[in-house]
Amino acid sequence: MSSNQLLIKSLALASKYHVQQKRKSDGSPYINHLIEVAALLTDIARIDDDDELCAAILHDILEDTGVTTEEVYKTCGQRVLELVEALSDNKSLCLKERREETLRLLPTKSNSVKRIKLADLCSNAAAIPSGWTVERQTEYFLWLDQVAEICKVSSPLLYKEYLRRKADYTAK
């Protein structure tokens, strides 16, 4: 399968399963976030690895939709599935436990996983829901900072972008 075919298949799968979802920050289609994460990898981190870009597009699909691991595997292959699984939260845990698990497990993950996570943080840092209290925003950014610190080794340029976006948001 060509790289273009793989990327189109991952976009089609993401749009099929995320079709009804909207971003909490502005109500835009959720697929925009997934495309932005992949674009950050290509534009800032200069990643051209097809599997990594497909996993970026699908990074939330297992935890936020009803897709099966089998469908991800059949559509995009083993490596994409492994990356997506490595990025997926265990939704049976409460938010605090999921965040603790991320901080515990992320240091052992591959640079590809860390880069996708860092690109995701960049996107999320610029899209905080307006209804969040200052306390919730502060708590969220403290956690993002911890995750970004773990991931910065995978792409210093993406880490710099995260810091820029955080500063832009907090300056508002």
Side-chain angles (χ1 to χ4, degrees):
M1 181 176 344
S2 78
S3 62
N4 290 340
Q5 288 173 314
L6 188 59
L7 286 169
I8 295 301
K9 284 182 176 233
S10 67
L11 282 167
L13 189 64
S15 8
K16 173 183 174 184
Y17 280 94
H18 290 286
V19 68
Q20 298 298 324
Q21 295 175 350
K22 305 282 185 203
R23 294 252 21 215
K24 293 174 187 166
S25 59
D26 63 3
S28 63
Y30 195 75
I31 192 80
N32 294 355
H33 164 66
L34 305 173
I35 293 167
E36 179 186 19
V37 171
L40 285 163
L41 288 170
T42 61
D43 297 347
I44 294 176
R46 299 291 183 219
I47 299 302
D48 64 359
D49 178 89
D50 300 329
D51 291 337
E52 189 169 329
L53 295 173
C54 289
I57 292 165
L58 299 174
H59 75 271
D60 283 331
I61 201 163
L62 291 177
E63 67 186 62
D64 291 346
T65 76
V67 75
T68 64
T69 55
E70 172 122 351
E71 188 168 3
V72 174
Y73 170 75
K74 284 182 178 179
T75 305
C76 298
Q78 185 64 35
R79 180 161 181 254
V80 172
L81 174 60
E82 289 171 0
L83 290 170
V84 173
E85 286 178 321
L87 289 155
S88 297
D89 285 348
N90 178 352
K91 288 291 202 152
S92 70
L93 302 175
C94 71
L95 179 61
K96 183 176 186 247
E97 292 169 326
R98 288 196 313 265
R99 287 182 176 175
E100 289 170 357
E101 185 173 77
T102 296
L103 294 173
R104 185 173 47 80
L105 297 176
L106 194 55
T108 67
K109 304 292 184 184
S110 70
N111 278 336
S112 291
V113 168
K114 290 175 184 171
R115 269 191 302 271
I116 295 167
K117 190 68 171 173
L118 195 49
D120 184 36
L121 297 184
C122 288
S123 178
N124 291 339
I128 305 298
S130 60
W132 281 16
T133 64
V134 173
E135 181 181 330
R136 185 169 181 189
Q137 291 174 41
T138 302
E139 179 184 300
Y140 185 59
F141 274 114
L142 286 174
W143 180 75
L144 289 182
D145 288 346
Q146 291 175 297
V147 174
E149 185 67 30
I150 293 167
C151 295
K152 76 178 177 182
V153 67
S154 68
S155 176
L157 292 173
L158 273 176
Y159 181 71
K160 186 176 177 181
E161 178 67 12
Y162 164 73
L163 294 176
R164 185 189 68 75
R165 288 178 179 221
K166 177 188 172 189
D168 287 351
Y169 180 81
T170 55
K172 291 180 185 176

